[in-house]
Amino acid sequence: MELNPVWGGSPYQENYKRLYPAIGGGGFSFNVTTLTFDESYSPLFSDFNIQRSTDDKTARLLLNRLSGSGIISSDYYMYGFFSASIKMPSRYTAGIVVAFYMCIFFQKKVVVIHRHGYINIKGKLRSPLKHEFLGNVEGKAWRFQTNVYGNGSVSRGREERYRMWFDPSKDSHRYSILWTPTNIIFYVDEIPIREVIRNAAMRGDYPSKPMSVYATIWDASSWATSGGKKKVDYRYQPFVAEFRDLVLEGCVVDPADQLLSSNCTDITAALMARDFAAVTPRRRQSMAWFRQRYMYYSYCYDNVRYPVSPPECVVVPTEREMFRSSGGLRGSARFGGGSGGGRRRNARRRNGPG
């Protein structure tokens, strides 16, 4: 594993190199079946910017002056484990967003693809579950965020934002989403970075409708880097996000079927018995290690946005001490890197394809 050169000399990085094998890292060993592109995905938009390897196991999504690009799973799922190894674009990537996410089915949705791959789904549809990666100027690190929306809601996002302990443009790393009736886990490689446990008080805020899986790259110059001050620089085009080791394991459904839960009972039970469906004590140790060092915003600690924490939030004292009432890091807790700590203006970001 190659470390990000911006952070390569930090104590956090040195500790991580020492602890990585002990906390469950060092390779992706979950027992999953990878698929070819034809077995799993179809072009979503700009298929002229989608390059497939000769063995059909890798898809390269391009962003250039003409457009971004995206793919969509061939099926809809009601719960499952969804994963891909992704290598991000390198060098100057300000304004670029790469996303791996799930999107809910609406019978009357209208999808509008704008120039550079900006997707607008009329009816305020959003992706309930997502990994979203934000590019940066050359020499500064990529950042990423996870979010959970309830069944297409846009008013109750549950964002967390993080930095990385590696350079995601140097090598592929696996990003995964587990979605079951009782919990959601976001993974980076084998490390669970976030778990949402279903709480009855969440009601419709817990995703519980059929979803498809998407991967996209697009121009988000208006907000993605430094609040929109740093734009995509097309002198560096094409920008390439590489997806491989494609995994789609779950209950395939017809989203119009009214008996989804009964149709998926056995498959979902088997899913919940899998190794990746629970955060073991060892994984919880690695999750705590990651969150205390690399998370720089959590909605659970944003008392300005949520004066009363949402019901699924579990307040961890060591995390609570890290954050201001706005959910961002306190000055003394800012990550020891070169990418601006935990500062974030209270500007509303524009909605994109995720």
Side-chain angles (χ1 to χ4, degrees):
M1 180 180 67
E2 186 169 346
L3 301 178
N4 191 308
V6 176
W7 303 334
S10 75
Y12 291 154
Q13 291 286 24
E14 294 304 315
N15 288 340
Y16 191 79
K17 285 190 290 186
R18 177 172 54 84
L19 289 172
Y20 191 62
I23 62 177
F28 190 80
S29 61
F30 293 150
N31 184 20
V32 293
T33 301
T34 59
L35 304 171
T36 65
F37 184 89
D38 260 346
E39 292 172 326
S40 52
Y41 285 89
S42 302
L44 173 65
F45 66 96
S46 301
D47 55 354
F48 57 85
N49 267 352
I50 300 171
Q51 299 176 347
R52 294 159 61 174
S53 62
T54 54
D55 63 6
D56 205 35
K57 294 181 178 180
T58 299
R60 301 172 79 237
L61 305 187
L62 276 61
L63 166 68
N64 53 31
R65 290 183 185 275
L66 295 176
S67 178
S69 53
I71 58 178
I72 179 174
S73 61
S74 303
D75 295 303
Y76 285 88
Y77 295 87
M78 190 66 187
Y79 307 122
F81 182 80
F82 312 99
S83 184
S85 292
I86 310 173
K87 184 178 180 181
M88 302 297 164
S90 60
R91 300 183 66 192
Y92 187 98
T93 57
I96 294 172
V97 170
V98 174
F100 179 68
Y101 60 101
M102 304 186 68
C103 199
I104 204 166
F105 170 79
F106 273 82
Q107 289 180 305
K108 296 182 179 181
K109 71 179 180 181
V110 178
V111 181
V112 180
I113 310 297
H114 298 268
R115 185 170 181 264
H116 298 320
Y118 181 100
I119 303 178
N120 179 42
I121 304 178
K122 294 183 178 179
K124 297 185 178 180
L125 173 65
R126 292 293 178 269
S127 53
L129 302 173
K130 69 179 175 182
H131 282 283
E132 190 170 57
F133 308 91
L134 311 180
N136 216 329
V137 298
E138 193 163 5
K140 294 290 186 70
W142 279 78
R143 299 146 297 137
F144 75 110
Q145 56 193 30
T146 60
N147 209 337
V148 176
Y149 284 102
N151 300 318
S153 164
V154 296
S155 61
R156 297 181 299 278
R158 290 161 158 78
E159 298 164 73
E160 290 190 346
R161 304 185 190 111
Y162 324 92
R163 308 202 183 279
M164 296 180 175
W165 62 92
F166 53 83
D167 183 343
S169 70
K170 296 293 185 183
D171 297 293
S172 295
H173 288 263
R174 182 172 284 281
Y175 305 92
S176 308
I177 300 171
L178 171 79
W179 171 43
T180 80
T182 59
N183 69 330
I184 296 162
I185 304 174
F186 293 89
Y187 282 97
V188 176
D189 294 326
E190 284 188 318
I191 298 175
I193 62 168
R194 176 181 183 181
E195 181 180 31
V196 177
I197 298 175
R198 189 171 193 171
N199 184 306
M202 292 180 73
R203 302 170 66 93
D205 283 348
Y206 190 90
S208 57
K209 295 181 179 180
M211 291 192 279
S212 48
V213 184
Y214 293 70
T216 56
I217 183 171
W218 56 290
D219 183 332
S221 290
S222 62
W223 63 269
T225 308
S226 300
K229 293 179 180 178
K230 301 295 184 180
K231 312 292 186 183
V232 175
D233 187 341
Y234 286 100
R235 292 177 298 175
Y236 294 90
Q237 70 172 2
F239 303 97
V240 180
E242 184 176 283
F243 290 76
R244 61 180 179 84
D245 300 330
L246 307 174
V247 175
L248 300 173
E249 295 196 359
C251 183
V252 176
V253 298
D254 177 348
D257 191 340
Q258 299 301 308
L259 299 174
L260 293 172
S261 58
S262 60
N263 290 348
C264 290
T265 300
D266 291 344
I267 295 175
T268 302
L271 172 73
M272 295 172 68
R274 299 287 296 276
D275 175 57
F276 47 66
V279 180
T280 63
R282 185 183 185 190
R283 291 184 185 138
R284 197 160 298 281
Q285 178 189 0
S286 66
M287 183 165 68
W289 188 94
F290 169 82
R291 293 173 67 82
Q292 290 172 18
R293 288 161 175 79
Y294 296 98
M295 182 170 68
Y296 67 91
Y297 171 85
S298 173
Y299 74 102
C300 284
Y301 304 113
D302 191 340
N303 300 131
V304 175
R305 184 178 179 188
Y306 294 111
V308 177
S309 294
E312 75 282 0
C313 285
V314 177
V315 175
V316 179
T318 54
E319 291 181 3
R320 171 73 275 180
E321 293 173 1
M322 294 165 49
F323 294 99
R324 303 187 302 265
S325 60
S326 62
L329 288 177
R330 298 181 187 276
S332 60
R334 287 183 183 143
F335 184 85
S339 52
R343 295 177 184 149
R344 178 178 173 85
R345 284 181 168 78
N346 292 324
R348 295 182 64 182
R349 50 165 287 194
R350 299 192 181 183
N351 293 317

